[in-house]
Amino acid sequence: MFEDESETDDAFRALAEPRRRAILRLVATDELAAGEIAAAFDVTRTAISQHLTVLREAGLVSERRAGTRRMYRARPEGLAGLREFLDAMWSDALDVGRRLVEAEAAGEERTDVA
């Protein structure tokens, strides 16, 4: 159904942690150095580095070296599997809702005729 379900699973696991979601929001519009990202949180740089590794391995952020700095930015294509999963689930839910409403309307029409 989805291009690569294991990638989607990895992305969901990575985003299950609130701090990783916050990091992803930070780098969604800007490329930031690891130190800049770490400065936004009240945890050690090592902890942020571990979070960035999980996000990178899940394909949600890219890493670029600029001298001694590591720069991070969100990878929109890394969210594609998640978006596809959620879009399909939403579409399926809307279809179920439509069928329920149609069945209810059909049932009301039958009781009006009787």
Side-chain angles (χ1 to χ4, degrees):
M1 178 177 193
F2 304 107
E3 215 170 280
D4 187 344
E5 286 191 36
S6 68
E7 287 178 12
T8 302
D9 290 346
D10 291 345
F12 271 120
R13 273 191 290 280
L15 293 175
E17 209 288 330
R19 195 165 284 125
R20 290 189 201 124
R21 291 192 303 273
I23 291 169
L24 192 59
R25 279 188 217 97
L26 280 177
V27 298
T29 57
D30 260 338
E31 183 178 55
L32 296 174
E36 294 172 301
I37 296 166
F41 298 93
D42 191 24
V43 295
T44 65
R45 283 182 176 232
T46 302
I48 295 301
S49 177
Q50 291 170 348
H51 287 307
L52 287 165
T53 297
V54 171
L55 290 167
R56 185 178 44 77
E57 289 176 353
L60 298 173
V61 298
S62 62
E63 176 188 88
R64 176 180 70 84
R65 293 193 184 223
T68 60
R69 296 170 39 154
R70 291 181 186 207
M71 307 297 292
Y72 292 90
R73 129 182 341 233
R75 292 183 66 245
E77 61 274 18
L79 295 171
L82 290 175
R83 187 174 298 116
E84 182 181 338
F85 173 83
L86 294 171
D87 286 348
M89 193 168 65
W90 179 246
S91 178
D92 290 346
L94 289 175
D95 286 344
V96 168
R98 178 186 46 79
R99 286 194 304 272
L100 289 171
V101 168
E102 289 171 353
E104 187 175 305
E108 287 176 4
E109 288 173 12
R110 279 189 232 135
T111 57
D112 289 344
V113 175

